[in-house]
Structure formats: structure tokens, C-alpha cells
């Protein structure tokens, strides 16, 4: 069920403390941790504690939680002293989503070119 922890979800296991992660921030509704395969000097994942498969599902089900997650991306960027940064949501296999728990990638500390690819 949407919003409920999933036994087979890596990020739900991180939220529960069953899988270690380098946590940089935690709020009542979100957790932010360093990506284990960083694509930039700053690469932090910000996730809701509640399980939603992707950003679209999260936004449709819980707009307030979506706003919390986005606010946390800014806080992460501020704490890493990023002047500019990119927020990425991958939704679906074809877009590169590999963990099906909504999450935002906060990327910064190097030039971000357009188009991404």
C-alpha cells in the first residue's frame, strides 16, 4: 500500500535503520544521505520516510510531503554551500530509476551541462 514501508525496498530499509547510509539530514518526514555512486562532488539523495514508488505517485498522494522533500533539497544544498545545483527525479526504468522509492538527487559542486544525458 502506498505510504507504507515495503520489505523489499532498499530506501525503506535505510529509513528503518536496517541498512547503513551516510545520513546528512533527517526530519520528521524525510531522510537525506550521500549517494554510494556519486555523479558530482555533492550527490545527496533526499527521500520521504513514507514509501511511494516515484515522484509522480508521491505528488499525487501527498502534496505536503512533496513540499517537505523539496524544501530539504534546498537545505542540503545550503549546508553543502552550493551556489547552484540540480535536483533530479528519475521516474521509471527508462529514465534511470533503479530504486522504486521516490527520491530526489541533489547534484552540485561542478558544472551541470544542458541537455543532461
Amino acid at each position: 500500500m502506498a505510504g507504507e514501508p515495503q520489505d523489499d525496498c532498499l530506501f525503506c530499509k535505510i529509513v528503518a535503520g536496517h541498512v547503513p547510509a551516510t545520513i546528512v539530514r533527517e526530519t520528521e518526514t524525510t531522510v537525506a544521505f550521500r549517494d554510494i555512486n556519486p555523479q558530482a562532488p555533492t550527490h545527496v539523495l533526499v527521500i520521504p520516510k513514507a514509501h511511494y514508488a516515484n515522484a509522480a505517485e508521491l505528488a499525487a498522494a501527498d502534496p505536503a510531503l512533496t513540499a517537505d522533500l523539496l524544501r530539504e533539497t534546498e537545505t542540503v544544498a545550503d549546508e553543502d554551500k552550493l551556489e547552484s545545483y540540480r535536483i533530479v527525479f528519475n521516474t521509471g526504468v527508462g529514465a534511470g530509476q533503479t530504486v522504486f522509492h521516490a527520491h530526489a538527487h541533489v547534484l552540485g559542486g561542478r558544472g551541470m551541462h544542458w541537455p543532461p544525458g
Side-chain angles (χ1 to χ4, degrees):
M1 171 176 258
E4 297 296 321
Q6 304 295 305
D7 292 337
D8 61 344
C9 175
L10 173 63
F11 291 172
C12 287
K13 291 176 184 178
I14 289 172
V15 169
H18 301 306
V19 172
T22 304
I23 295 175
V24 297
R25 287 192 50 76
E26 184 169 1
T27 69
E28 185 177 316
T29 60
T30 65
V31 176
F33 53 92
R34 302 264 174 215
D35 194 292
I36 61 170
N37 183 27
Q39 302 300 304
T42 292
H43 189 167
V44 174
L45 302 178
V46 182
I47 67 170
K49 288 183 175 179
H51 180 92
Y52 293 94
N54 57 53
E57 185 180 294
L58 170 62
D62 197 334
L65 181 54
T66 306
D68 288 349
L69 189 143
L70 283 171
R71 274 190 295 275
E72 282 305 301
T73 65
E74 179 182 24
T75 303
V76 165
D78 288 347
E79 288 183 354
D80 269 28
K81 298 180 181 18
L82 299 175
E83 292 182 22
S84 59
Y85 57 96
R86 181 171 286 166
I87 302 167
V88 176
F89 289 94
N90 298 321
T91 300
V93 173
Q97 186 177 9
T98 58
V99 178
F100 292 88
H101 182 121
H103 57 286
H105 296 257
V106 179
L107 300 152
R110 68 167 174 81
M112 298 286 157
H113 304 286
W114 196 261

